[in-house]
Amino acid sequence: MVELSVARESWPIRGAFTISRGSRTTAEVVVVGLSDGTHTGRGECVPYPRYDETVDGVIQEIEGLRDALAQGLDRHALQDRLPAGAARNALDCAFWDLEAKQAGKRVWELAGLSEPQPVPTAYTLSLDTPARMAVSAKDNAERPLLKLKLSGPDDLDRVAAVRSNAPDARLIVDANEGWTADQYRNLAEELRDLGVDMIEQPLPAADDEGLAGIVRPVPVCADESCHDRASLDALAGKYDMVNIKLDKTGGLTEALALKAEAEAAGFAVMVGCMLATSLAMAPAVLLGQEVEIVDLDGPLLLAKDRDGGLTFEGSFIHPPSAGLWG
């Protein structure tokens, strides 16, 4: 039986963060606390308008379980009480943190995982003009992996500008559902020649049949098309990789299951994030061990991270301290 606390927080972004769907200057998050009177577990989520989520709506979902939590609702029962999404993510991760504190162990031990090691993360370059993205690339040319936000027109120029200013970096690109099937076919070979390793969600999730059965010279990763294990069957033949985000899966519990099932089905795995603080990234660092791509740069894009946040050495993320989470 636990007592719930829930709060909304707003974290300024360094500059602005722009993708094909728009631009923003703050990261709006919801933080949950679950206390047994001695220990408190924390979790953070990002309500995402693309999935019809709002901060107020997510808080209402979480508050709706206050009495059930006080009466003994646990992490396992939570999986059936809320659908996959931001609200369940914050509660699920808070439960994991609380369980670790109660047991005097780390979450990775409770989950039967190997001790996590530092992992390199992608660093995201916001959608902008080719000239401005070239400047961003030059400023971050020493990073091993750059992720470019794209939108359609001028995308080839954007990638070429980044490649010329970051010649040694590995490149991945994310269209955020902003292309058509014809655009993918027209761009894929040229992007491969520019050294692009992966294209993330080129087509709208509701209209991605155009990827079925076509030659994919650059591997394609499902993001908006992949939420939890129920998504996997529809991805076969269209995608080569899945992007697992805790806010989509509804927490670490489902994310670990999705990772295992996706790998068994032959998909490569990317572990990604919404734009949030280190508290949201911490559980994903455990998930991001031994995967193809880690994209957990949220705190690097903020003007300021929360106190006691993750330690970054360049693009390498160290596992969270027990004081932060888990």
Side-chain angles (χ1 to χ4, degrees):
M1 295 183 289
V2 296
E3 182 177 352
L4 169 71
S5 64
V6 57
R8 62 195 303 156
E9 296 178 352
S10 182
W11 294 84
I13 295 168
R14 273 193 293 111
F17 186 75
T18 304
I19 66 172
S20 62
R21 284 190 289 268
S23 184
R24 54 192 166 130
T25 57
T26 60
E28 306 297 323
V29 309
V30 175
V31 177
V32 162
L34 296 177
S35 176
D36 65 1
T38 302
H39 307 287
T40 299
R42 298 188 302 165
E44 178 181 323
C45 71
V46 181
Y48 202 45
R50 168 64 180 81
Y51 304 132
D52 299 321
E53 295 175 331
T54 65
V55 171
D56 288 341
V58 164
I59 290 175
Q60 186 176 2
E61 271 191 279
I62 294 168
E63 285 283 4
L65 292 182
R66 182 178 291 276
D67 290 344
L69 291 164
Q71 293 167 13
L73 179 74
D74 63 11
R75 177 172 57 83
H76 303 287
L78 173 68
Q79 309 306 312
D80 294 324
R81 289 294 296 268
L82 287 182
R88 196 177 78 190
N89 176 35
L91 286 165
D92 182 82
C93 291
F95 264 123
W96 277 107
D97 190 29
L98 177 61
E99 291 166 22
K101 288 180 168 66
Q102 291 171 331
K105 295 183 177 181
R106 302 304 306 272
V107 165
W108 59 267
E109 295 177 282
L110 298 182
L113 305 173
S114 299
E115 183 173 2
Q117 302 300 313
V119 291
T121 179
Y123 183 82
T124 303
L125 304 185
S126 252
L127 176 65
D128 211 324
T129 65
R132 288 176 179 168
M133 291 184 76
V135 172
S136 296
K138 188 172 184 179
D139 290 342
N140 293 282
E142 80 288 351
R143 295 187 183 275
L145 177 60
L146 297 177
K147 176 176 174 176
L148 287 59
K149 291 292 188 178
L150 301 180
S151 69
D154 301 322
D155 279 345
L156 197 60
D157 291 339
R158 290 183 175 100
V159 178
V162 169
R163 170 52 73 207
S164 65
N165 283 275
D168 298 323
R170 191 178 169 206
L171 301 183
I172 57 178
V173 302
D174 184 4
N176 284 113
E177 305 180 279
W179 292 357
T180 65
D182 284 342
Q183 283 176 306
Y184 172 80
R185 282 191 288 266
N186 291 337
L187 289 171
E189 289 191 6
E190 293 186 83
L191 292 176
R192 178 198 60 195
D193 293 343
L194 285 167
V196 171
D197 286 353
M198 181 272 281
I199 297 171
E200 189 176 348
Q201 197 68 44
L203 275 57
D207 190 27
D208 62 2
E209 287 300 322
L211 294 171
I214 68 171
V215 176
R216 296 190 293 275
V218 178
V220 178
C221 179
D223 182 4
E224 286 87 349
S225 290
C226 180
H227 289 251
D228 54 14
R229 284 173 289 174
S231 306
L232 284 178
D233 286 348
L235 305 181
K238 296 186 287 188
Y239 295 94
D240 309 287
M241 180 181 294
V242 296
N243 186 350
I244 303 176
K245 294 178 179 175
L246 299 181
D247 278 310
K248 293 189 301 176
T249 65
L252 182 62
T253 302
E254 174 63 20
L256 290 168
L258 172 58
K259 180 182 177 182
E261 199 162 306
E263 289 176 337
F267 292 101
V269 170
M270 173 181 184
V271 172
C273 67
M274 306 302 186
L275 191 48
T277 79
S278 281
L279 180 57
M281 304 301 123
V285 174
L286 274 61
L287 190 68
Q289 303 291 307
E290 299 181 356
V291 300
E292 184 74 17
I293 294 172
V294 173
D295 179 22
L296 300 176
D297 62 346
L300 295 176
L301 304 176
L302 299 178
K304 181 182 182 298
D305 193 11
R306 67 177 66 249
D307 292 341
L310 291 165
T311 297
F312 287 83
E313 287 186 318
S315 289
F316 276 79
I317 315 174
H318 287 259
S321 66
L324 173 62
W325 182 87

